[in-house]
Amino acid sequence: MTSLYTCSAFIPGQAGSVRLRSHWIGHNKYCRMVILEDEGLSWICIQCPGSVRNLSEVALYCKQTPELMLQARCCLNQKGTILGLDLQNCSLKDPGPNFPQAHTAVIIDLQANPLEDDLANIFRGFTQLQTLILPQDVSCPGGINAWNTVTFYMNNQTCQGQRNLCNSTGDQEMCPENGSCVPDGPGLLQCVCADGFHGYKCMRQGSFSLLMFFGILGSTTLSVSILLWGTQRRKAKAS
Amino acid sequence: MAWPNIFQRGTLFSRFSHHHVVVFLLTFFSYSLLHASRKTFSNVKVSISKQWTPSAFNKSIRLPVEIWSSNHLFPSAEEATLFLGTLDTIFLFSYAVGLFISGIVGDRLNLRWVLSFGMCSSALVVFVFGPVTEWLHFYNKGLYCCLWIGNGLLQSTGWPCVVAVMGNWFGKAGRGVVFGLWSACASVGNILGACLASSVLQYGYEYAFLVTAAVQFAGGIIIFFGLLVSPEEIGIPGIEAEENFEEDSHRPLINDAENEDEYEPNYSIQEGSTITQVKAISFYQACCLPGVIPYSLAYACLKLVNYSFFFWLPFYLSNNFGWKEAEADKLSIWYDVGGIIGGTLQGFVSDVLQKRAPVLALSLLLAVGSLVGYSRSPNDKSINALLMAVTGFFIGGPSNMISSAISADLGHQELIQGSSEALATVTGIVDGTGSIGAAVGQYLVSLIQDNLGWMWVFYFFILMVQARPSSLVRGAWSSLELPQGCVLCCHKGRFSCLTAF
């Protein structure tokens, strides 16, 4: 579905990220789909039409740092990592299946959307998130305890400063043996292996030096075998 | 009272050349290494069980799947424990079968080749079982069972070969002392295996298998290049030329390899000055000899307990007290230490008294007490180690005596005197029943522990141990007299010097 004069389309459920480019052949305008993954732009940035609003927090953040650039709804750094996401006024009931693509974001703006309330698990993996702007009726994910400051404005509320809840719960047995608690997003925790431990269930510690072991064993075997052969079997009759 | 030959040391050891020393050490350490790799499996049961199951942590915190629950070979730790018991049972059964086969094969092939082949190939099987499956992350129950059957068959080549080689080199005089010292090889192997495993367990359980398999393989190579199977190989006269016919009672100590006599091609078994016709007796006839069946069944019970400690002790310590597996492994050594001391001391005492049954009966009664005490051991490492050593002392000692000396005595009865096949058959019956009992017991232990807990496992042990004293005092065997000069050889906490496993 294309409009008469512009190529724009919202294709839900599309596997790759696409953009439409137009070109003229004769009097007809053709819209061509270009796979945007080659251009390095994630689907989350273009799924909501438009671009980052000029006066939004995301835009301000992006302009503060010179290396960052704005593309569609995202603020990207030189490597293409999403650092800011502006999904204002996108008529979103929920951020959608592509939302985890923005897990590296530092600032996200979701105001003016009819979001459903329970956002806790949507932000799993968003460990860098420091500023989250939400519609007024939605509570900050993880509750007020998960954020340093929660400010209420006229049109939105702003959750700022993600807190590490690992220490605050006071429970010493939070993780299985050899695991340690690390944050997993606002109000979320996960268990990874403690320092020095690795492997399945973090059972393994350190690394075994195969070379040294086999070196010592091999040389010992060789010398003992030669010694014994010389003293014992050399005179043996063929058997 | 007859003092054992140990006091005639002076004339004894002067006859031994450096070849004898090397043969002693090589056979000692080759069996130790075989035993060490067997013990490794018991030492890493906790880690393997963890590796095979997903994490059962029940809190709200998120556990990333790839770290904590990607392996679903068994749904829970209980199922894994049951399978570990099954593997032990499979191993014991195939070991028993392998002994019979090895008896036949070893007679026809060079002992050195058989022993080094057995050691090296068993090391390769263990290498595939542990490190390879772990590095490839390929966990499969069928594969583990097949590998462990292969391991049992290959390991069974060890014992008959080493006993035969020792028999070739060490004549009757002084055999008691030498074999007494030598028979500590199994316990030393257990201790060695526990030390090796606990020192590398932190890197991963697969490294415990890797280390013991590699050392065993190296041992196999050294055996191949250094072992002289008999004195004839280098032209020294064999032990037949030095037979001391007074010491005919030493016969039982070296007759071995289950029911077969094919392992003793190089030394003849003589009874005093009468060279009686070597007469085989049938399996059925051997069973019908007085005392064979009751002792076999009783030995099965005792071997079950002994083996259960061998296979399950580190796992129990880890599970029950929550100690780290490496520490549990190091502590389990004390059972073997108790067993070595118990076997030696009780053997010596029964030798001096010339009676076995009283020593046995007393030891087993005290074993019940020590089991009760051990099952109620507090969560303190020193006390637990002490109780463990005491238990090893009272269970290991009788186990040795029954399998070695009493088998010899059973085979010495007037009915079949002079028949070496009879002795071998009797030994085989006693030991074979013992092995089967032990094999069945391993599965039972894991089943009982799974359903009823560790306390009931100890009650089961007490029941097994108590079955002994009653049959001991029964009938003619309550006053079992030792043939003159029969020296009790076994120091081992676990296996007899005669019979395998």
Side-chain angles (χ1 to χ4, degrees), chain A residues 11-19 33-38 41-44 46-47 98 101:
Chain A
I11 305 168
Q14 183 67 34
S17 310
V18 299
R19 183 154 61 180
M33 286 205 290
V34 175
I35 305 300
L36 277 177
E37 274 162 6
D38 300 337
L41 197 63
S42 304
W43 183 246
I44 187 71
I46 55 166
Q47 93 183 24
N98 295 307
Q101 288 173 354

Side-chain angles (χ1 to χ4, degrees), chain B residues 319-340:
Chain B
N319 251 4
N320 206 26
F321 298 115
W323 298 338
K324 284 207 168 12
E325 199 176 17
E327 290 169 24
D329 290 344
K330 284 201 199 90
L331 231 72
S332 68
I333 289 173
W334 287 102
Y335 183 81
D336 285 285
V337 172
I340 295 178

Side-chain angles (χ1 to χ4, degrees), chain B residues 242-495:
Chain B
E242 311 174 10
E243 288 297 45
N244 180 353
F245 287 111
E246 302 177 66
E247 305 299 324
D248 57 284
S249 335
H250 283 285
R251 227 185 84 190
L253 294 175
I254 43 97
N255 247 341
D256 180 25
E258 295 302 313
N259 303 335
E260 313 308 284
D261 195 64
E262 288 100 357
Y263 264 102
E264 288 79 24
N266 290 324
Y267 51 82
S268 58
I269 317 305
Q270 302 299 332
E271 188 71 32
S273 54
T274 60
I275 298 166
T276 52
Q277 180 98 28
V278 168
K279 190 170 49 123
I281 64 170
S282 75
F283 190 80
Y284 180 69
Q285 283 173 302
C287 282
C288 291
L289 288 175
V292 172
I293 296 281
Y295 265 96
S296 303
L297 292 174
Y299 184 54
C301 297
L302 200 54
K303 204 165 182 177
L304 190 159
V305 177
N306 221 4
Y307 268 72
S308 303
F309 269 92
F310 171 67
F311 281 127
W312 290 102
L313 190 55
F315 187 79
Y316 163 72
L317 292 175
S318 243
N319 251 4
N320 206 26
F321 298 115
W323 298 338
K324 284 207 168 12
E325 199 176 17
E327 290 169 24
D329 290 344
K330 284 201 199 90
L331 231 72
S332 68
I333 289 173
W334 287 102
Y335 183 81
D336 285 285
V337 172
I340 295 178
I341 300 174
T344 317
L345 213 61
Q346 288 171 26
F348 182 77
V349 165
S350 74
D351 244 14
V352 161
L353 291 177
Q354 299 259 300
K355 280 195 201 302
R356 306 249 190 260
V359 180
L360 269 180
L362 182 67
S363 183
L364 287 167
L365 278 170
L366 293 171
V368 173
S370 65
L371 272 173
V372 171
Y374 187 68
S375 64
R376 283 167 172 66
S377 161
N379 192 340
D380 177 272
K381 296 201 178 110
S382 333
I383 298 180
N384 197 297
L386 180 69
L387 289 171
M388 200 191 301
V390 168
T391 313
F393 183 93
F394 287 121
I395 296 185
S399 182
N400 271 340
M401 273 210 283
I402 295 177
S403 70
S404 60
I406 294 186
S407 300
D409 302 337
L410 287 173
H412 251 101
Q413 300 171 67
E414 282 75 29
L415 298 168
I416 52 164
Q417 207 153 48
S419 167
S420 62
E421 271 85 2
L423 177 59
T425 310
V426 165
T427 307
I429 293 171
V430 172
D431 220 35
T433 321
S435 293
I436 293 175
V440 169
Q442 297 326 302
Y443 189 72
L444 284 176
V445 166
S446 61
L447 199 64
I448 294 175
Q449 189 268 321
D450 196 26
N451 292 314
L452 298 168
W454 285 109
M455 217 33 147
W456 280 91
V457 175
F458 278 101
Y459 294 149
F460 176 60
F461 288 165
I462 289 170
L463 180 70
M464 291 287 111
V465 166
Q466 281 197 323
R468 287 292 302 116
S470 52
S471 65
L472 269 177
V473 296
R474 195 183 306 142
W477 302 102
S478 57
S479 58
L480 190 60
E481 294 286 337
L482 280 184
Q484 193 217 349
C486 180
V487 176
L488 211 352
C489 65
C490 302
H491 296 222
K492 304 192 261 194
R494 199 130 293 125
F495 309 111

Side-chain angles (χ1 to χ4, degrees), chain A residues 207-229:
Chain A
S207 89
F208 184 78
S209 53
L210 283 169
L211 199 62
M212 187 175 77
F213 171 71
F214 280 110
I216 294 176
L217 185 68
S219 47
T220 312
T221 312
L222 192 66
S223 42
V224 171
S225 300
I226 292 175
L227 177 73
L228 285 179
W229 188 81

